[in-house]
Amino acid sequence: MLNIIFAKHGELYNYKHVNLLYNRLYSYFPHAKFWCYTEDPKGIIEPVNIIPILKRPSLRKWWNKLALFSNEMPFEGKCLFFDLDMEIVGDPSPWINNFNTLTVVNDYYKKDLYYDKHSYDVNINSSIIAWTANEQIHVWEKFLENKDYFMRKYRGIDRFMVYEGIELYTFKDGIVNSVNNDSYDNAPVNMYNGIEYNL
Amino acid sequence: MYHEENDLFRIKDIIDALSDSQIEGKKWLVNELIKLKPESKGIFIAGGWYGQLAALLSDYYDCLIISADLDTDSKNIGHKLLNGLDINVEFAVDDAATFFMEKRKIIDILINTSCEHMEQDDVKDLITYKQPDTLVAFQSNNYYDVLSHINCSDSLDDFVNYLELDEILYKGVLSFDDYERYMVIGR
């Protein structure tokens, strides 16, 4: 069983983003079970199963994504996460074939940029993540070791994972087209990282 | 300069801990606290960070001052920052609520200047389990822009209301450019 998972916290994105992602992805993954990890399920359509935000620890915005690796999640087996600012325009399944590792998106458009470790720059992003449930619990446990400091130190979970030594693999290039850095016109997913994506 | 063994962010974090706004908030607490309770047999600081407040308090109080913080490096760095100063500060790397339970009988001043970083239930537990006469001096803020602030208060009244103290001896607001800091002293 494949689990397709979204996370919605705060007001930057709304139920329409969840429902649109469900509708687009369902046509390519009709046998998947869909989930949304959120504090506000209002408006999310029924085929998407709601996972209430963990009561503890309290986290804000994207830091909640890390809780998906905890053993308190209800899903089992293969997991595929999509950020809510991902626009599905084709079938991403040919790129998604390995759930044995923690796999994220390669920021192909950053390959010629100066990579500033002092600023904790990264060249991956977690807009799409593939993993197997309960096999990446160490990511969550590492975060809990010193979560307040990590949230001060890193502007997001990508930096946290890279600079805290989490073993990461990337999907083959071409799975996403960064809307800000058009390169892969035929990519199945348009990624709006950092760009307004209102519905 | 960058090396994975070197945590360069610590430099920024220590600078932030010693910034004007951080120190101003802590001096405000000390100035109001010594008016209400000039002597103490034991002070506990929850979320004491690198011991900045403990150092300020030690100018006025001779008693044991415990500075507890979950940050695993806070103790080592705190010791280095305070090294050579003749102060009676004990650092602890522990969950403040749990550690306070062990020490509460020797504490008559309980301080938390970082309520915005702590679960609200934990902040309230500190008050629930303190000795009845123990004085509480707590601060929070409405600085929502910082994502590690998981328990901000919208206003001084909001902060006062959730603390549910039996007696309030002082409450006030310190305004900065980006946010307001709130303080309540009571029992």
Side-chain angles (χ1 to χ4, degrees):
Chain A
M1 167 70 77
L2 172 65
N3 301 281
I4 295 183
I5 304 156
F6 315 121
K8 182 174 84 69
H9 188 260
E11 295 174 351
L12 187 56
Y13 301 106
N14 60 47
Y15 68 91
K16 294 177 185 173
H17 294 88
V18 176
N19 294 345
L20 179 62
L21 265 178
Y22 164 76
N23 283 320
R24 296 271 174 88
L25 287 166
Y26 178 75
S27 56
Y28 302 113
F29 302 97
H31 303 298
K33 191 165 185 179
F34 288 80
W35 306 85
C36 184
Y37 182 59
T38 183
E39 89 287 21
D40 177 18
K42 192 177 171 190
I44 296 173
I45 53 180
E46 199 166 308
V48 180
N49 297 277
I50 301 300
I51 309 169
I53 294 277
L54 296 180
K55 287 187 177 156
R56 293 175 73 107
S58 299
L59 297 172
R60 293 176 58 204
K61 295 187 177 177
W62 45 79
W63 290 105
N64 281 289
K65 280 164 68 173
L66 288 174
L68 299 176
F69 301 123
S70 84
N71 60 3
E72 294 186 58
M73 293 295 117
F75 36 76
E76 293 178 349
K78 296 174 180 176
C79 297
L80 185 58
F81 169 86
F82 287 87
D83 267 346
L84 296 181
D85 60 347
M86 307 297 272
E87 181 187 23
I88 308 300
V89 293
D91 181 6
S93 60
W95 280 265
I96 300 164
N97 44 32
N98 180 14
F99 293 88
N100 295 323
T101 60
L102 184 56
T103 309
V104 296
V105 175
N106 176 41
D107 282 343
Y108 62 86
Y109 48 89
K110 289 184 180 174
K111 70 179 189 311
D112 295 325
L113 297 179
Y114 172 57
Y115 185 75
D116 183 5
K117 287 187 173 183
H118 301 78
S119 302
Y120 304 108
D121 277 354
V122 289
N123 52 18
I124 56 96
N125 76 74
S126 57
S127 293
I128 306 175
I129 315 172
W131 77 103
T132 297
N134 294 318
E135 291 187 3
Q136 301 295 335
I137 294 171
H138 60 281
V139 180
W140 178 238
E141 290 174 341
K142 178 74 184 175
F143 174 66
L144 293 182
E145 280 176 15
N146 211 356
K147 65 181 168 58
D148 202 86
Y149 183 67
F150 292 140
M151 288 191 287
R152 297 201 303 272
K153 181 174 179 178
Y154 302 116
R155 274 182 286 162
I157 76 164
D158 302 344
R159 286 170 163 81
F160 162 75
M161 291 195 294
V162 169
Y163 287 93
E164 293 305 317
I166 305 298
E167 190 174 14
L168 296 169
Y169 293 79
T170 56
F171 299 108
K172 265 193 317 184
D173 284 353
I175 186 173
V176 299
N177 176 54
S178 168
V179 175
N180 228 356
N181 308 272
D182 271 337
S183 297
Y184 289 99
D185 291 342
N186 296 319
V189 182
N190 281 328
M191 184 173 69
Y192 283 77
N193 261 9
I195 305 176
E196 204 168 275
Y197 179 53
N198 293 326
L199 292 179
Chain B
M1 187 171 161
Y2 177 85
H3 188 281
E4 61 185 30
E5 298 295 320
N6 294 336
D7 184 1
L8 292 174
F9 181 78
R10 279 289 172 192
I11 299 167
K12 291 175 75 171
D13 205 45
I14 293 167
I15 290 170
D16 183 32
L18 299 172
S19 67
D20 289 347
S21 59
Q22 289 287 349
I23 296 299
E24 197 175 337
K26 288 167 178 60
K27 282 166 63 179
W28 178 36
L29 185 146
V30 175
N31 284 329
E32 296 302 330
L33 187 63
I34 57 176
K35 291 179 202 167
L36 295 165
K37 192 168 176 62
E39 291 182 1
S40 171
K41 64 176 185 180
I43 299 174
F44 187 95
I45 304 169
W49 212 356
Y50 301 122
Q52 319 93 292
L53 178 57
L56 295 178
L57 287 167
S58 70
D59 285 340
Y60 295 92
Y61 295 97
D62 296 329
C63 63
L64 172 67
I65 301 171
I66 299 171
S67 183
D69 201 290
L70 268 177
D71 184 349
T72 46
D73 285 335
S74 59
K75 181 176 180 176
N76 288 338
I77 293 169
H79 272 305
K80 286 176 186 168
L81 289 174
L82 272 55
N83 187 30
L85 299 174
D86 184 20
I87 53 179
N88 194 18
V89 175
E90 179 183 310
F91 285 96
V93 175
D94 207 333
D95 172 66
T98 308
F99 194 57
F100 174 68
M101 291 294 286
E102 292 175 23
K103 301 287 183 181
R104 60 182 172 160
K105 288 186 178 166
I106 60 165
I107 298 300
D108 60 10
I109 298 177
L110 169 61
I111 296 172
N112 185 351
T113 60
S114 52
C115 293
E116 68 275 11
H117 286 268
M118 288 180 67
E119 302 282 350
Q120 192 167 114
D121 287 348
D122 289 349
V123 174
K124 293 173 80 163
D125 280 353
L126 287 170
I127 295 168
T128 300
Y129 296 112
K130 75 178 181 65
Q131 304 284 90
D133 288 340
T134 295
L135 199 71
V136 165
F138 281 8
Q139 292 185 352
S140 188
N141 63 37
N142 64 349
Y143 203 1
Y144 287 95
D145 287 350
V146 179
L147 286 188
S148 58
H149 290 175
I150 57 165
N151 180 32
C152 284
S153 293
D154 291 332
S155 65
L156 177 60
D157 283 345
D158 181 33
F159 187 43
V160 169
N161 289 339
Y162 96 68
L163 291 179
E164 294 180 319
L165 292 170
D166 292 335
E167 181 185 14
I168 292 175
L169 303 170
Y170 174 89
K171 60 179 180 177
V173 179
L174 191 60
S175 293
F176 297 96
D177 290 343
D178 301 330
Y179 67 99
E180 291 178 331
R181 178 166 289 279
Y182 311 119
M183 181 162 72
V184 178
I185 302 176
R187 288 190 177 87

